Amino acid sequence: MTLREKILAFMRKEAYKPLAPDDLAAEMGLKAKELADFWPLLAELERDAVIIKTRFGKYGVPERMNLVVGALSASEKGFGFVIPDDPEEADVYIPPDAMNGALNGDRVAARIHGQRPGGKAREGEIIRVVKRANAKIVGTFEASRHYGFVTPDDARLRQDVFVPRDEWGEAENGCKVVVEITRWPEGKRSAEGRIVEVLGRKGDPGIEILAIIKSHNLSTAFPPEVEAAAARCRDAVGADELKGRRDLRSLPVVTIDSEDAKDLDDAVYVERRKNGHFLLGVHIADVSHYVRENSPLDDEARERGTSVYLVDRVLPMLPHRLSNGICSLNAGVDRLAMSAEMEIDPRGRVVNYELFPSVIRVHTRLSYNVVRRILAEDDEELKEEYRPLLGMLADMERLCHILRQRRLNRGAIDFDFPELKVKLDERGRPLAVEKRVRSIAESIVEEFMLAANETVAEHMDKLGVPFVFRVHEEPDPEKMTKLNNLLHNFGQALSKPDDIRPKALQKVLGRVAGRPEERLISTVMLRSLKQARYEAENLGHFGLAATYYTHFTSPIRRYPDLIVHRILRETFTAGGISAKRRQKLAAVLPEISLHASQRERGAAEAERETVDLKKVEYMAQFIGDEFAGAISGVTAFGLFVELESGIEGLVHVSSMDDDYYRYDEERYSLIGQRTGKVFRLGDAVTVKLVKVSPAERTIDFALAGESAAAPQGRRGKGRPAAKPQQGGRKGKNDGGKGRNGGAKPVDGAKPAKAAEKQRPPGTKRKRPRNTGKRRTRADKSPT
């Protein structure tokens, strides 16, 4: 046990009151050697609010002082929630007058005052900002004669930033800028700052994407020392690098990815054995060989946490020389790999496995489209072109079905929500919005990566070494109770909502498949689950119904995978991992896991925002058109409607002027007080596009046709939902492949003329007539 762990364990379990530092050291009986480290460690713990120092100079732990420490998630309406560091704790509601200068994303300490009225979340007030999250803010500069203000692009940062005249730099009125905070808000006084970067004028081509990049603190270039380190890496594998590696270059290993992918982390091979078993080889780029611990490359990769796949560009975790070069498993060249070979029986059980460093040479680069057309469409021309691989592809398909069935048998939850791809022209203007097709090709890679991730996780957990796991905890019982209340409306139920198992949720999805309420129940169920995250402790993966899970398969684009490789490699050495090394890993892995989880969420948000921006720009040409859609979200301020193309917009309640509508939170519906009309999540409706706002990334609809008079289907009952689309992202449950979380079995400029012929399905061309109401910032809050 480390000294840090000893201090915390004592304060949490044995100390009966807050203690002065000398008393704490004495009570713990620390040795002279430990005392030297005690004082700086105590200061570090207090700085990070892991322990709290009282006004009388005594120390205690937050959970025993009616305090909670965590990240502040602020709303555009002014209130917020503290998301505790301890995932077992409930969130704490912070009213607007108790924010005390804290901003969205800040790490804070809050005092709990009690339960909110009506049995809702705990309520409290911010007493301390532990760490600021917004040292720089992106926004629009407004100049007056002697001073200026920056209005943040992020509406959750509700206060403008005051900028003195001598801190403007070269900014002009209306410019999009980056402002660095020099004085934080306090009481009624706004934050103060200075302009450190002028991005351009509002409306300039590409300015909105650049603003999103800057607002999420994403790096577009690598520091010189990192580029220099990358330049020192070899272009090809040398003979001296093969010692201790198994030579697999004779195997017909293949990669399967999208046509435009350049960072190929994984290659696969399947062989059918005489005993009926399958040999599955999953070979992952050995990035840890090139990115050594605490090197400039490693420090930069740790800070970035992940590659970010924006709508118009990729911001890689590693320099292109590595990510697209020596680390990428390109066809026809030697590459170093970390290999997982698994023998899998006809029931999908891994009966034997080996993990080892290797050298491979990819035989053929395949794309998802090619594999789909061979296996699902029986394309004769492609079958002839890839004839030597047909037997292995057939075995891959068989093994994929076996692995998937085993996963479903144990209770894994599969959601199937569409992921959109925006096609751009050379100037970054949207040409079309398409749903990504998910086929047997994606499923093959997904199942193989899941198998490898689980095998590595179980192997490392049983070795008992410090490690990084991918965890997905059990859902909150209160949310399951609310879900169960909804299910009762459709004759469904969870037998034990306070002790839920993934199999129970899977069965519900199976029973409602193809029924009108399927969309509604799938959406609410997904929102009721927790987010997957990285953790230094194995807590299992609820969505995958897996006892062991990690991310091993994408070290080029995810830092936790690189850490997993590094630790795995250390277990191959004689004597394994030393006690000193274990102690060091135990100390650093929790922080690495937390940072990686935060960067992952930030990257996903940035990716979603850039796609949303281009969707809005694309829809600008269809003002006045009518579309078929389905209600995808219900709030007190209106209905979110998703079109058949996957594009979503808001029908503001103020445009529903035929009645007064009451929001029923439990039934996810708006109900007309006079007419009794019910608009519920999943209902099919027809809407007219009335307004788009690229600056706010919003699309405004109004109900049209029969939907304006009454929702389609039976009043007050579950109306037919739009048929769920195939493909793409599969929710929060997480998987093994994919750009930023993998395949997941559990987010302006004038449009191009060429897009005129690519109108969304269900369009009825009308003359433009803007009848919508302007959406306020508060209206953009999620359902």
Side-chain angles (χ1 to χ4, degrees):
M1 182 182 289
T2 65
L3 180 56
R4 176 191 174 97
E5 291 170 336
K6 284 182 181 180
I7 293 172
L8 293 177
F10 180 84
M11 295 182 72
R12 287 168 178 162
K13 297 177 182 178
E14 298 183 41
Y16 59 90
K17 64 179 182 179
L19 295 170
D22 291 333
D23 295 334
L24 177 61
E27 291 272 357
M28 291 182 63
L30 297 178
K31 300 175 182 177
K33 185 179 179 181
E34 291 176 315
L35 280 173
D37 297 326
F38 173 75
W39 299 103
L41 185 54
L42 197 68
E44 178 186 320
L45 291 170
E46 195 275 330
R47 183 193 67 217
D48 295 338
V50 180
I51 62 176
I52 301 294
K53 184 178 181 180
T54 72
R55 66 183 65 186
F56 301 105
K58 297 185 177 182
Y59 293 89
V61 287
E63 57 266 35
R64 300 183 68 180
M65 301 171 72
N66 201 36
L67 301 174
V68 64
V69 178
L72 176 64
S73 176
S75 162
E76 298 155 6
K77 296 180 180 180
F79 63 84
F81 289 88
V82 175
I83 314 301
D85 291 343
D86 182 354
E88 297 300 317
E89 280 199 72
D91 297 347
V92 179
Y93 170 76
I94 308 295
D97 59 355
M99 298 286 276
N100 294 329
L103 301 176
N104 182 62
D106 288 348
R107 180 171 162 79
V108 299
R111 177 174 289 113
I112 301 169
H113 291 322
Q115 205 81 4
R116 292 176 67 195
K120 295 185 178 179
R122 299 181 296 174
E123 184 170 329
E125 67 171 320
I126 306 296
I127 63 168
R128 176 187 164 195
V129 176
V130 179
K131 185 178 181 181
R132 292 288 185 177
N134 304 281
K136 295 179 180 179
I137 294 173
V138 176
T140 302
F141 180 64
E142 299 176 27
S144 62
R145 185 172 181 179
H146 300 294
Y147 58 86
F149 285 94
V150 174
T151 302
D153 283 355
D154 188 345
R156 295 169 298 181
L157 305 175
R158 302 181 74 245
Q159 299 183 8
D160 293 341
V161 181
F162 175 81
V163 183
R165 182 65 182 86
D166 58 351
E167 298 287 9
W168 289 9
E170 298 180 0
E172 297 178 1
N173 190 55
C175 282
K176 190 76 75 171
V177 302
V178 179
V179 59
E180 183 178 60
I181 304 300
T182 57
R183 188 173 182 179
W184 295 101
E186 186 176 341
K188 295 183 178 180
R189 193 193 69 223
S190 297
E192 294 184 17
R194 61 187 182 93
I195 307 298
V196 294
E197 187 174 359
V198 178
L199 304 180
R201 297 198 68 83
K202 199 172 180 180
D204 288 349
I207 193 67
E208 296 298 336
I209 295 284
L210 184 58
I212 291 171
I213 290 172
K214 294 293 183 179
S215 68
H216 288 280
N217 196 28
L218 302 176
S219 300
T220 56
F222 289 94
E225 64 272 19
V226 175
E227 291 285 11
R232 290 193 291 271
C233 293
R234 295 178 176 180
D235 288 326
V237 174
D240 58 321
E241 296 175 286
L242 304 186
K243 184 179 179 180
R245 294 181 178 272
R246 193 173 304 180
D247 192 341
L248 303 179
R249 287 176 287 185
S250 61
L251 293 180
V253 174
V254 300
T255 59
I256 306 175
D257 216 312
S258 58
E259 282 91 345
D260 56 354
K262 296 181 176 63
D263 49 351
L264 307 176
D265 322 73
D266 55 271
V268 293
Y269 169 76
V270 170
E271 175 187 314
R272 192 73 177 270
R273 294 193 158 175
K274 292 181 179 179
N275 61 0
H277 291 187
F278 294 87
L279 175 66
L280 168 61
V282 175
H283 310 285
I284 308 300
D286 188 359
V287 180
S288 63
H289 176 81
Y290 300 99
V291 181
R292 297 304 173 99
E293 188 172 17
N294 297 327
S295 67
L297 285 168
D298 185 51
D299 292 343
E300 182 70 12
R302 180 189 298 191
E303 178 58 32
R304 293 187 177 219
T306 179
S307 294
V308 186
Y309 295 82
L310 304 179
V311 69
D312 65 340
R313 72 195 75 183
V314 177
L315 304 177
M317 184 180 78
L318 297 170
H320 286 102
R321 185 177 175 85
L322 276 75
S323 62
N324 297 1
I326 190 62
C327 292
S328 183
L329 303 183
N330 301 325
V333 292
D334 292 351
R335 287 292 183 260
L336 304 182
M338 293 287 277
S339 295
E341 283 192 347
M342 297 154 279
E343 183 180 350
I344 301 172
D345 71 13
R347 295 172 60 186
R349 298 178 300 180
V350 177
V351 296
N352 195 13
Y353 69 88
E354 279 189 281
L355 307 175
F356 53 88
S358 64
V359 56
I360 66 170
R361 182 181 298 157
V362 171
H363 179 276
T364 306
R365 174 176 179 170
L366 298 172
S367 70
Y368 292 131
N369 285 336
V370 166
V371 175
R372 183 190 76 248
R373 288 167 60 188
I374 290 174
L375 296 179
E377 300 175 11
D378 202 29
D379 188 302
E380 291 297 335
E381 185 177 339
L382 285 176
K383 286 171 66 177
E384 182 61 33
E385 182 179 351
Y386 294 98
R387 182 164 297 280
L389 297 175
L390 293 184
M392 184 168 71
L393 287 175
D395 286 338
M396 286 183 175
E397 184 177 15
R398 294 188 194 98
L399 180 56
C400 169
H401 291 313
I402 289 171
L403 291 172
R404 174 176 167 76
Q405 190 57 52
R406 178 172 175 79
R407 187 165 56 82
L408 294 178
N409 287 344
R410 74 187 186 200
I413 309 166
D414 265 6
F415 294 100
D416 203 359
F417 293 104
E419 184 177 2
L420 300 184
K421 179 179 178 64
V422 182
K423 289 191 173 182
L424 306 176
D425 66 11
E426 66 280 356
R427 296 178 62 185
R429 299 177 301 186
L431 295 173
V433 179
E434 301 174 348
K435 289 184 177 178
R436 295 183 187 270
V437 177
R438 183 169 178 270
S439 67
I440 181 61
E442 286 82 4
S443 293
I444 284 172
V445 176
E446 172 187 314
E447 295 299 336
F448 291 0
M449 299 304 114
L450 288 169
N453 286 336
E454 290 187 43
T455 298
V456 171
E458 182 174 3
H459 173 82
M460 297 301 288
D461 189 69
K462 290 184 175 179
L463 285 180
V465 299
F467 197 59
V468 174
F469 295 92
R470 182 69 170 179
V471 303
H472 185 229
E473 291 151 293
E474 294 184 2
D476 183 86
E478 184 179 343
K479 291 187 176 181
M480 288 295 102
T481 298
K482 287 184 177 181
L483 172 63
N484 204 30
N485 292 339
L486 173 69
L487 293 177
H488 285 312
N489 295 323
F490 300 99
Q492 305 292 333
L494 300 171
S495 57
K496 296 180 180 179
D498 57 341
D499 184 26
I500 199 69
R501 293 289 181 267
K503 187 79 170 179
L505 299 181
Q506 183 203 80
K507 287 181 178 178
V508 169
L509 291 177
R511 290 196 295 265
V512 302
R515 296 173 61 173
E517 61 269 22
E518 178 182 20
R519 184 186 187 87
L520 164 63
I521 290 173
S522 296
T523 302
V524 175
M525 186 181 294
L526 176 63
R527 292 172 180 171
S528 300
L529 298 178
K530 294 183 178 179
Q531 279 191 314
R533 60 188 177 87
Y534 298 104
E535 178 58 66
E537 179 184 358
N538 181 25
L539 303 175
H541 199 294
F542 180 85
L544 293 172
T547 305
Y548 311 95
Y549 197 66
T550 191
H551 273 172
F552 162 75
T553 55
S554 296
I556 293 178
R557 55 181 179 255
R558 291 190 306 227
Y559 190 73
D561 302 53
L562 175 55
I563 291 292
V564 164
H565 279 227
R566 188 172 288 153
I567 299 173
L568 178 61
R569 170 188 293 280
E570 292 182 43
T571 66
F572 297 154
T573 60
I577 300 178
S578 67
K580 184 177 180 180
R581 176 62 172 166
R582 286 173 183 249
Q583 186 173 347
K584 181 180 178 181
L585 288 172
V588 301
L589 291 183
E591 176 57 32
I592 289 175
S593 300
L594 175 62
H595 179 72
S597 298
Q598 293 169 341
R599 297 303 289 172
E600 176 191 34
R601 287 192 289 272
E605 191 173 337
E607 291 168 12
R608 183 175 60 252
E609 287 177 10
T610 60
V611 171
D612 287 346
L613 172 66
K614 293 303 176 182
K615 287 191 294 187
V616 173
E617 291 179 2
Y618 173 70
M619 289 299 290
Q621 63 193 303
F622 301 117
I623 297 289
D625 289 11
E626 292 184 3
F627 303 89
I631 297 174
S632 55
V634 182
T635 72
F637 56 80
L639 309 169
F640 286 95
V641 175
E642 183 179 310
L643 307 184
E644 293 175 4
S645 62
I647 293 173
E648 188 179 64
L650 175 73
V651 176
H652 197 279
V653 70
S654 62
S655 71
M656 302 167 63
D657 53 10
D658 63 326
D659 201 347
Y660 290 104
Y661 284 88
R662 174 177 58 85
Y663 175 49
D664 188 327
E665 186 176 4
E666 285 194 0
R667 291 177 174 81
Y668 298 88
S669 59
L670 285 178
I671 303 170
Q673 295 182 17
R674 178 180 58 83
T675 62
K677 288 191 302 187
V678 180
F679 293 92
R680 181 159 33 196
L681 195 65
D683 284 346
V685 292
T686 301
V687 294
K688 178 188 289 185
L689 178 61
V690 295
K691 182 183 176 183
V692 299
S693 173
E696 295 184 351
R697 296 188 285 278
T698 57
I699 297 171
D700 286 295
F701 293 130
L703 294 174
E706 294 182 6
S707 297
Q712 297 176 16
R714 295 169 293 167
R715 180 176 297 175
K717 302 290 185 181
R719 264 88 52 201
K723 182 180 180 182
Q725 302 294 325
Q726 297 298 312
R729 190 170 58 233
K730 304 185 76 183
K732 297 181 183 179
N733 292 337
D734 207 341
K737 178 78 171 168
R739 288 308 182 194
N740 213 44
K744 300 178 181 177
V746 217
D747 323 316
K750 293 182 180 178
K753 291 181 179 179
E756 279 294 330
K757 295 182 180 179
Q758 306 230 14
R759 293 158 68 182
T763 304
K764 301 176 184 177
R765 172 59 85 182
K766 298 282 187 182
R767 291 181 63 81
R769 185 170 68 89
N770 192 336
T771 60
K773 305 291 184 180
R774 187 178 188 278
R775 188 183 322 190
T776 65
R777 285 182 174 181
D779 292 340
K780 294 193 294 180
S781 58
T783 302

Coordinates of all heavy atoms in Angstrom, one line a residue, residues 69 77 81 217 278 291 311 410 438 461 478 533 538 554 573 674 679 690 732 754-755:
V69 N -16.9 16.4 -4.0 CA -15.9 16.9 -4.9 C -16.1 16.3 -6.3 O -16.3 15.1 -6.4 CB -14.5 16.7 -4.4 CG1 -13.5 17.2 -5.4 CG2 -14.2 17.3 -3.1
K77 N -29.1 27.6 -18.5 CA -30.1 28.3 -17.7 C -29.5 28.9 -16.4 O -30.2 29.6 -15.7 CB -31.3 27.5 -17.4 CG -32.1 27.0 -18.6 CD -33.3 26.2 -18.2 CE -34.1 25.7 -19.4 NZ -35.2 24.9 -19.1
F81 N -24.9 20.9 -12.0 CA -24.9 19.7 -11.2 C -23.4 19.3 -11.0 O -22.6 19.4 -11.9 CB -25.5 18.5 -11.9 CG -27.0 18.5 -11.9 CD1 -27.7 19.2 -13.0 CD2 -27.8 18.0 -10.9 CE1 -29.1 19.3 -13.0 CE2 -29.2 18.1 -10.9 CZ -29.8 18.7 -12.0
N217 N -9.9 23.1 -26.6 CA -8.5 23.0 -26.3 C -7.8 21.9 -27.1 O -7.0 21.2 -26.5 CB -8.3 22.9 -24.8 CG -6.9 23.2 -24.4 OD1 -6.2 24.0 -25.0 ND2 -6.4 22.6 -23.3
F278 N -11.7 -22.5 -34.0 CA -11.1 -21.4 -34.8 C -9.9 -20.9 -34.1 O -9.9 -20.7 -32.9 CB -12.1 -20.3 -35.0 CG -13.4 -20.6 -35.7 CD1 -14.5 -21.2 -35.1 CD2 -13.5 -20.4 -37.1 CE1 -15.6 -21.5 -35.8 CE2 -14.6 -20.7 -37.8 CZ -15.7 -21.3 -37.1
V291 N 6.9 4.7 -28.9 CA 6.5 5.8 -27.9 C 6.9 5.4 -26.5 O 6.1 4.7 -25.9 CB 5.0 6.2 -28.0 CG1 4.7 7.3 -27.1 CG2 4.7 6.5 -29.5
V311 N -15.4 16.6 -38.6 CA -16.1 16.4 -39.9 C -15.2 16.7 -41.1 O -15.4 16.1 -42.2 CB -17.4 17.3 -40.0 CG1 -17.0 18.8 -40.1 CG2 -18.3 16.9 -41.1
R410 N -25.1 -14.2 -23.0 CA -24.8 -13.8 -21.6 C -25.4 -12.5 -21.2 O -25.3 -12.1 -20.1 CB -23.2 -13.7 -21.4 CG -22.6 -12.5 -22.1 CD -21.1 -12.5 -22.0 NE -20.5 -11.3 -22.5 CZ -19.3 -11.1 -23.0 NH1 -18.5 -12.2 -23.0 NH2 -18.9 -10.0 -23.4
R438 N -24.0 -0.1 -41.5 CA -23.3 -1.1 -40.7 C -23.7 -2.5 -41.2 O -24.8 -2.8 -41.2 CB -23.7 -0.9 -39.2 CG -23.0 -1.9 -38.3 CD -23.2 -1.5 -36.8 NE -22.6 -2.4 -35.9 CZ -23.1 -3.5 -35.4 NH1 -24.4 -3.8 -35.8 NH2 -22.5 -4.3 -34.6
D461 N -5.9 -9.0 -15.3 CA -6.6 -9.0 -14.0 C -6.1 -10.2 -13.2 O -5.9 -10.0 -11.9 CB -8.1 -9.0 -14.2 CG -8.8 -8.8 -12.9 OD1 -8.8 -7.6 -12.3 OD2 -9.5 -9.7 -12.4
E478 N -32.7 4.5 -9.5 CA -33.7 5.5 -9.6 C -34.1 5.6 -11.1 O -35.3 5.7 -11.5 CB -33.3 6.8 -9.1 CG -34.4 7.9 -9.1 CD -33.9 9.2 -8.5 OE1 -32.9 9.2 -7.8 OE2 -34.6 10.3 -8.8
R533 N -16.2 4.4 -19.1 CA -15.0 5.2 -18.8 C -13.8 4.3 -18.5 O -13.9 3.1 -18.4 CB -15.3 6.1 -17.6 CG -15.6 5.4 -16.3 CD -16.1 6.3 -15.2 NE -16.4 5.5 -14.0 CZ -15.6 5.2 -13.0 NH1 -14.3 5.5 -13.1 NH2 -16.0 4.5 -12.0
N538 N -10.8 -2.9 -11.8 CA -11.8 -3.6 -12.7 C -13.2 -3.6 -12.1 O -13.4 -4.3 -11.0 CB -11.3 -5.1 -12.9 CG -12.2 -5.9 -13.7 OD1 -12.9 -5.3 -14.6 ND2 -12.2 -7.2 -13.6
S554 N -6.5 -0.1 -30.2 CA -6.4 1.1 -31.0 C -5.3 2.0 -30.3 O -5.6 3.2 -30.0 CB -7.7 1.9 -31.1 OG -8.6 1.1 -31.8
T573 N 8.8 -9.7 -19.6 CA 10.2 -9.7 -19.2 C 10.4 -10.7 -18.0 O 9.5 -11.0 -17.3 CB 10.7 -8.3 -18.7 OG1 9.9 -7.9 -17.6 CG2 10.6 -7.3 -19.9
R674 N -56.5 21.4 -23.7 CA -57.9 21.5 -24.1 C -58.3 20.3 -25.1 O -59.3 19.7 -24.9 CB -58.1 22.8 -24.9 CG -59.5 23.0 -25.5 CD -59.6 24.4 -26.2 NE -58.6 24.4 -27.3 CZ -58.8 23.9 -28.5 NH1 -59.9 23.3 -28.8 NH2 -57.9 24.1 -29.4
F679 N -48.3 14.3 -27.9 CA -47.1 14.2 -28.7 C -46.0 13.5 -27.8 O -45.6 14.0 -26.8 CB -46.5 15.5 -29.2 CG -47.4 16.2 -30.2 CD1 -48.4 17.1 -29.8 CD2 -47.3 15.9 -31.6 CE1 -49.2 17.7 -30.7 CE2 -48.2 16.6 -32.5 CZ -49.1 17.5 -32.0
V690 N -38.3 25.9 -40.8 CA -38.6 27.4 -40.8 C -37.4 28.2 -40.5 O -37.3 29.4 -40.9 CB -39.7 27.7 -39.7 CG1 -41.0 27.1 -40.1 CG2 -39.2 27.3 -38.3
K732 N -23.9 4.0 -25.6 CA -22.9 4.2 -24.5 C -22.2 2.9 -24.2 O -21.3 3.0 -23.4 CB -23.6 4.7 -23.3 CG -24.3 6.1 -23.5 CD -24.9 6.5 -22.1 CE -25.7 7.8 -22.2 NZ -26.3 8.1 -21.0
A754 N -24.3 21.8 -55.8 CA -24.4 20.3 -56.1 C -25.4 19.7 -55.1 O -26.0 18.6 -55.5 CB -23.1 19.6 -56.1
A755 N -25.6 20.2 -54.0 CA -26.5 19.6 -53.0 C -27.9 19.7 -53.3 O -28.8 19.1 -52.7 CB -26.2 20.2 -51.6

